[in-house]
Amino acid sequence: QLQLVESGGGLVQPGGSLRLSCAASGFTLDRVNIGWFRQAPGKEREGVSCISSSGGITKYVDSVKGRFTISRVNAKNTVYLQMNSLKPEDTAVYYCATQVGCPGYPGNYWGQGTQVTVSS
């Protein structure tokens, strides 16, 4: 069964850091573009970042540029999102998903999401 599982969310104070993980099972990530998305209460889902299958292309939404870093370790079949200098407006449920192109649009497989809350 093809599956993506996110982990690493939690409660952090403004200015803090978290690292989210997106682990794949049932398929190898090294042939797949992966995107991170987030959805805050009452807001539409937003694309945050993506990484190409080779890792050679990375993209970020303007609001996280310079603060978030996406990376992949294909040997671990995992994509990471390092989030630094977190702000309250980063509070959302974060999802990883396969992606058609980077930049592009979401593919068919999504994780279950992990909650990130930035609050003092």
Side-chain angles (χ1 to χ4, degrees):
Q1 183 177 1
L2 305 181
Q3 197 172 14
L4 293 171
V5 178
E6 302 97 336
S7 61
L11 173 64
V12 64
Q13 293 186 342
S17 298
L18 286 173
R19 188 178 76 161
L20 305 185
S21 299
C22 172
S25 60
F27 66 104
T28 55
L29 282 181
D30 61 359
R31 297 174 182 266
V32 179
N33 305 313
I34 293 292
W36 281 98
F37 302 82
R38 65 186 179 185
Q39 188 164 22
K43 295 188 176 181
E44 293 188 353
R45 185 181 66 199
E46 173 187 39
V48 176
S49 181
C50 65
I51 187 166
S52 63
S53 57
S54 68
I57 298 172
T58 58
K59 298 292 182 183
Y60 301 91
V61 69
D62 285 346
S63 60
V64 308
K65 283 180 180 177
R67 301 188 298 121
F68 290 11
T69 303
I70 192 170
S71 62
R72 63 193 306 150
V73 178
N74 287 338
K76 294 187 176 182
N77 220 24
T78 300
V79 171
Y80 301 97
L81 186 68
Q82 177 67 43
M83 306 188 297
N84 299 329
S85 302
L86 282 162
K87 304 176 180 180
E89 52 263 43
D90 295 318
T91 295
V93 178
Y94 283 72
Y95 302 89
C96 64
T98 57
Q99 184 154 324
V100 180
C102 175
Y105 54 92
N108 294 327
Y109 298 99
W110 290 79
Q112 83 289 350
T114 186
Q115 176 70 49
V116 171
T117 303
V118 185
S119 175
S120 55

